[in-house]
Amino acid sequence: LEASRAPASMASAEQFDGYFLHIAQQTRGIEPLLETFFSFLRRKTDFFSGGGDGAAERAVLNVLRREQAIADRESAKKKERQDKERREREKAARKKREAAEKAAAAEAPPAPAPSLTVEELDDEGKPVGKPSTAAASGAAESVATAAEAPATEAEAAAEGDEQAKGQAPVDNGGRTDTYVWTQTLSEVTVNVLVPPGTRSRDMVVAITPTTLKVGLKGHAPLVDGKLHKRIKADDSMWTLDDTAHGRAVVLELFKEHGMEWWKGVIEGDPEIDTTKVEPENSNLGDLDPETRKTVEKMMFDQRQKMMGLPTSDEMKKQEVLERFMKEHPDMDFSKAKIMEGGSQLRLSLQRLNPLLHPSTTTHENVYTSA
């Protein structure tokens, strides 16, 4: 009998939604709404006096428990549906990333062309004439050659040491005492660990474009500080979930500038070594040609760095230098000084001694590279 009455009761309840919404708007709160309803039962019915001692309380508890069970089932179904959708998105993103990785790994994209400036020095090492600039291919970065001075090698070593600072990234992110984080080019996922059984209403979470605060009500914040980079606060969100790390507040923060890797989440917290980040390319197919070219170049250079090999820019500049050396055999490259400025590669060198090499001349002071 109870089961057959349930659908009718639900349909009847929905018929009065408009009335209850109107009352709720007038009373402005759940507790005032309940007080108004029970006041009506007290004043206009024998609800409190007609059923004997405790009858009213039992009736209210029965209805409350029944509605609570329905709410719990609906919440569980909603969570299950969200988890399923998230798993499907992750699976689709993983397949897309693997396919894009294979396509991007086929070849390195061409690098933009810098210019090569050549300056001739006399026997005393002083400049002769004005330096010339020749178009070449490559971009402005440090050029590692056997002819570089010891000081240049020391600077390169110092730069390598600087890049090596920071934790080795895990899933392109890291871990602190209170949270674990991962990232893609477009977003950062932060798992802030909380005690088992923590509920959403126990949490205090504040997300702004430049700051993040997460904590339990009545306790010191677990996370509170300035973000490493700006985010799109309106697009970012948080949920409370059971993760592989335990009960956690899961924050999805969308980067304002999506073409860069973060060293950390909060300023002052431990940072990671971004030179060891594995480039994310799950959405290369959705990018415009120019942006995709930039991302593919970054991926290639990142893999080269991880293997201790020259980047695409360094390879181009090395080719320029080797071609120039071949075209100018009368130049002495043993004391070559290779300097960098803006998008130019500057090369200071000396011509071979004409007494030892009579086939060479000394009247030229400007050289160009095809």
Side-chain angles (χ1 to χ4, degrees), residues 27-37:
T27 56
R28 298 184 179 181
I30 298 299
E31 190 170 335
L33 174 63
L34 294 176
E35 289 179 351
T36 301
F37 182 68

Short mmCIF file of all heavy atoms in Angstrom, two decimals, residues 27-37:
data_model
loop_
_atom_site.label_atom_id
_atom_site.label_comp_id
_atom_site.label_asym_id
_atom_site.label_seq_id
_atom_site.Cartn_x
_atom_site.Cartn_y
_atom_site.Cartn_z
N THR A 27 9.23 34.22 3.78
CA THR A 27 9.85 33.95 5.08
C THR A 27 11.37 34.12 5.04
O THR A 27 12.01 34.29 6.08
CB THR A 27 9.52 32.52 5.55
OG1 THR A 27 9.95 31.59 4.54
CG2 THR A 27 8.02 32.37 5.78
N ARG A 28 11.99 34.01 3.83
CA ARG A 28 13.42 34.25 3.63
C ARG A 28 14.30 33.33 4.47
O ARG A 28 15.16 33.77 5.22
CB ARG A 28 13.76 35.71 3.96
CG ARG A 28 13.05 36.70 3.07
CD ARG A 28 13.50 38.12 3.35
NE ARG A 28 12.82 39.06 2.48
CZ ARG A 28 13.04 40.38 2.50
NH1 ARG A 28 13.91 40.90 3.36
NH2 ARG A 28 12.38 41.17 1.67
N GLY A 29 14.10 32.05 4.32
CA GLY A 29 14.96 31.09 5.00
C GLY A 29 14.25 29.78 5.27
O GLY A 29 13.01 29.72 5.35
N ILE A 30 15.06 28.68 5.39
CA ILE A 30 14.48 27.36 5.63
C ILE A 30 13.86 27.27 7.02
O ILE A 30 12.72 26.80 7.18
CB ILE A 30 15.56 26.27 5.45
CG1 ILE A 30 16.08 26.27 4.02
CG2 ILE A 30 15.00 24.90 5.82
CD1 ILE A 30 15.03 25.97 2.98
N GLU A 31 14.59 27.72 8.02
CA GLU A 31 14.08 27.62 9.39
C GLU A 31 12.80 28.45 9.59
O GLU A 31 11.82 27.95 10.17
CB GLU A 31 15.16 28.03 10.38
CG GLU A 31 14.79 27.73 11.83
CD GLU A 31 15.96 27.91 12.78
OE1 GLU A 31 17.11 27.79 12.31
OE2 GLU A 31 15.72 28.16 13.97
N PRO A 32 12.76 29.70 9.10
CA PRO A 32 11.49 30.44 9.21
C PRO A 32 10.35 29.76 8.45
O PRO A 32 9.19 29.82 8.88
CB PRO A 32 11.82 31.79 8.59
CG PRO A 32 13.30 31.94 8.81
CD PRO A 32 13.85 30.56 8.64
N LEU A 33 10.67 29.10 7.32
CA LEU A 33 9.64 28.37 6.57
C LEU A 33 9.07 27.23 7.41
O LEU A 33 7.85 27.02 7.47
CB LEU A 33 10.24 27.85 5.27
CG LEU A 33 9.34 26.93 4.43
CD1 LEU A 33 8.10 27.69 3.95
CD2 LEU A 33 10.11 26.37 3.24
N LEU A 34 9.98 26.47 8.07
CA LEU A 34 9.51 25.36 8.93
C LEU A 34 8.70 25.87 10.11
O LEU A 34 7.67 25.28 10.49
CB LEU A 34 10.71 24.56 9.42
CG LEU A 34 11.51 23.79 8.35
CD1 LEU A 34 12.74 23.13 8.97
CD2 LEU A 34 10.63 22.74 7.68
N GLU A 35 9.13 26.96 10.71
CA GLU A 35 8.38 27.54 11.84
C GLU A 35 6.98 27.96 11.40
O GLU A 35 6.00 27.74 12.12
CB GLU A 35 9.14 28.75 12.39
CG GLU A 35 10.41 28.37 13.13
CD GLU A 35 11.15 29.60 13.63
OE1 GLU A 35 10.77 30.72 13.26
OE2 GLU A 35 12.13 29.43 14.40
N THR A 36 6.89 28.55 10.21
CA THR A 36 5.58 28.96 9.70
C THR A 36 4.67 27.75 9.48
O THR A 36 3.48 27.77 9.83
CB THR A 36 5.76 29.72 8.37
OG1 THR A 36 6.59 30.86 8.58
CG2 THR A 36 4.41 30.16 7.81
N PHE A 37 5.23 26.67 8.94
CA PHE A 37 4.43 25.47 8.66
C PHE A 37 3.96 24.81 9.95
O PHE A 37 2.78 24.47 10.09
CB PHE A 37 5.25 24.50 7.82
CG PHE A 37 4.50 23.25 7.44
CD1 PHE A 37 3.44 23.31 6.55
CD2 PHE A 37 4.83 22.03 8.00
CE1 PHE A 37 2.74 22.17 6.21
CE2 PHE A 37 4.11 20.89 7.67
CZ PHE A 37 3.07 20.96 6.78
#
